[in-house]
């Protein structure tokens, strides 16, 4: 039985003081015994947010990291820095990073491996564009992403990680994938993991849906057999996030 996981992706929103205020606003609303709750926050918010959620059921995630240990990589943050600051999860390969910052699968594979090495849980994002969906290559494209990004990653590591299926056309657009579309791809990802590893690994890995999840559609999406929660952008910045956690 996989435990649900609902993660907020705050993106480039909230100054450190606004971030602390949001944690305080959400504190009671996101309480849950049955769902893992994660706030993935901008790098500069990590330290105050870790402090603000101490003693609660919320874990903190980063939105990105670099794969090198240390050195001349101006502007980057290492996995070790995140761990030392109290971070448990890290989003890797969000479509905004793939698109705007040209992060390719070879780089993302290095990041995934480094995250595991450091003891972080990767939330690996994958998902097709509208054009790819219309061309009928959705699953081919996602299988390519998964296989490339997990190249050389062990089954025991995959069992502990999170994969987020995020159709690019549904992110921040208000256009949610239908429940059937979301379940179909999440199941396809699980089948891909079973082929790459084995059934036990496929049964253990948690697969989220992300793309305009809100308080109105979370319950139906999260009730699907292969959807183990959500990665939530816009709605994670307001009180509605509590309703999504307690769907
Ligand atoms: C996201 O950024 O991961 C996301 C799913 O955003 P939104 O919920 O706003 O579509």
């Amino acid at each position: 039985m996989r435990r649900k996981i609902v993660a907020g992706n705050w993106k480039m929103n909230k100054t450190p003081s606004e971030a602390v205020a949001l944690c305080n606003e959400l504190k009671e609303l996101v309480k849950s015994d049955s769902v893992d709750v994660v706030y993935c926050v901008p790098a500069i918010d990590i330290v105050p947010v870790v402090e603000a959620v101490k003693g609660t059921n919320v874990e903190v995630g980063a939105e990105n990291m670099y794969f090198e240990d240390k050195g001349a990589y101006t502007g980057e943050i290492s996995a070790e820095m995140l761990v030392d600051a109290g971070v448990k999860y890290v989003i890797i390969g969000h479509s905004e990073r793939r698109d705007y910052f040209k992060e390719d699968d070879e780089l993302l594979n290095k990041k995934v491996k480094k995250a595991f090495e450091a003891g972080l849980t990767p939330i690996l994002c994958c998902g097709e564009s509208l054009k790819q969906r219309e061309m009928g290559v959705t699953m081919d494209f996602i299988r390519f992403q998964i296989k490339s990004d997990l190249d050389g990653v062990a089954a025991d590591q995959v069992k502990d990680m999170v994969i987020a299926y995020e159709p690019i056309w549904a992110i921040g657009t208000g256009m949610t994938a239908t429940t059937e579309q979301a379940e179909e791809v999440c199941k396809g990802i699980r089948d891909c993991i079973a082929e790459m590893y084995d059934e036990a690994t496929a049964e253990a890995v948690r697969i989220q849906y992300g793309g305009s999840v809100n308080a109105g559609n979370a319950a139906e999406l999260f009730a699907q057999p292969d959807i183990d929660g959500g990665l939530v952008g816009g709605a994670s910045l307001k009180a509605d996030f509590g309703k999504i956690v307690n769907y």
Side-chain angles (χ1 to χ4, degrees), residues 12-122:
M12 197 174 75
N13 293 295
K14 302 295 173 189
T15 65
S17 50
E18 288 169 348
V20 171
L22 181 60
C23 291
N24 292 334
E25 183 191 338
L26 293 179
K27 198 169 277 179
E28 292 302 315
L29 306 175
V30 299
K31 273 192 178 157
S32 169
D33 291 333
S34 50
V35 173
D36 289 343
V37 182
V38 184
Y39 297 163
C40 298
V41 306
I44 197 162
D45 295 344
I46 286 171
V47 170
V49 167
V50 166
E51 192 56 36
V53 301
K54 255 193 195 137
T56 74
N57 58 317
V58 175
E59 297 283 9
V60 178
E63 297 177 14
N64 185 29
M65 53 161 261
Y66 199 51
F67 69 86
E68 293 285 2
D69 288 330
K70 60 174 69 172
Y73 305 102
T74 304
E76 293 296 328
I77 292 185
S78 72
E80 189 193 352
M81 291 171 185
L82 296 177
V83 171
D84 189 61
V87 167
K88 299 279 190 266
Y89 293 83
V90 59
I91 297 177
I92 293 177
H94 192 280
S95 60
E96 287 152 15
R97 296 220 55 94
R98 291 178 187 261
D99 183 10
Y100 304 147
F101 303 100
K102 305 289 168 245
E103 296 196 1
D104 62 20
D105 292 299
E106 200 182 319
L107 171 70
L108 297 175
N109 177 241
K110 289 181 184 161
K111 292 190 179 194
V112 169
K113 286 176 176 161
K114 179 55 72 175
F116 279 123
E117 200 184 303
L120 292 164
T121 301

Side-chain angles (χ1 to χ4, degrees), residues 32-224:
S32 169
D33 291 333
S34 50
V35 173
D36 289 343
V37 182
V38 184
Y39 297 163
C40 298
V41 306
I44 197 162
D45 295 344
I46 286 171
V47 170
V49 167
V50 166
E51 192 56 36
V53 301
K54 255 193 195 137
T56 74
N57 58 317
V58 175
E59 297 283 9
V60 178
E63 297 177 14
N64 185 29
M65 53 161 261
Y66 199 51
F67 69 86
E68 293 285 2
D69 288 330
K70 60 174 69 172
Y73 305 102
T74 304
E76 293 296 328
I77 292 185
S78 72
E80 189 193 352
M81 291 171 185
L82 296 177
V83 171
D84 189 61
V87 167
K88 299 279 190 266
Y89 293 83
V90 59
I91 297 177
I92 293 177
H94 192 280
S95 60
E96 287 152 15
R97 296 220 55 94
R98 291 178 187 261
D99 183 10
Y100 304 147
F101 303 100
K102 305 289 168 245
E103 296 196 1
D104 62 20
D105 292 299
E106 200 182 319
L107 171 70
L108 297 175
N109 177 241
K110 289 181 184 161
K111 292 190 179 194
V112 169
K113 286 176 176 161
K114 179 55 72 175
F116 279 123
E117 200 184 303
L120 292 164
T121 301
I123 300 177
L124 174 67
C125 298
C126 58
E128 82 287 5
S129 65
L130 190 56
K131 184 152 186 237
Q132 287 164 331
R133 177 159 283 271
E134 285 169 353
M135 284 167 63
V137 298
T138 295
M139 218 45 241
D140 296 327
F141 180 69
I142 290 171
R143 285 169 62 87
F144 175 82
Q145 287 183 317
I146 296 291
K147 288 188 174 188
S148 311
D149 300 347
L150 295 184
D151 186 37
V153 176
D156 280 349
Q157 295 175 317
V158 174
K159 279 181 186 160
D160 285 336
M161 75 180 295
V162 180
I163 298 174
Y165 165 54
E166 298 208 305
I168 297 170
W169 48 272
I171 297 178
T173 58
M175 252 170 84
T176 319
T178 63
T179 310
E180 293 71 29
Q181 286 171 326
E183 167 60 17
E184 184 185 22
V185 177
C186 289
K187 180 171 187 320
I189 293 170
R190 205 174 297 286
D191 291 345
C192 179
I193 296 292
E195 279 170 37
M196 290 169 68
Y197 298 93
D198 49 51
E199 281 300 330
T201 306
E203 277 309 307
V205 64
R206 293 191 287 180
I207 303 176
Q208 298 174 312
Y209 167 77
S212 299
V213 173
N214 59 45
N217 59 25
E220 195 179 321
L221 285 162
F222 299 173
Q224 300 310 303

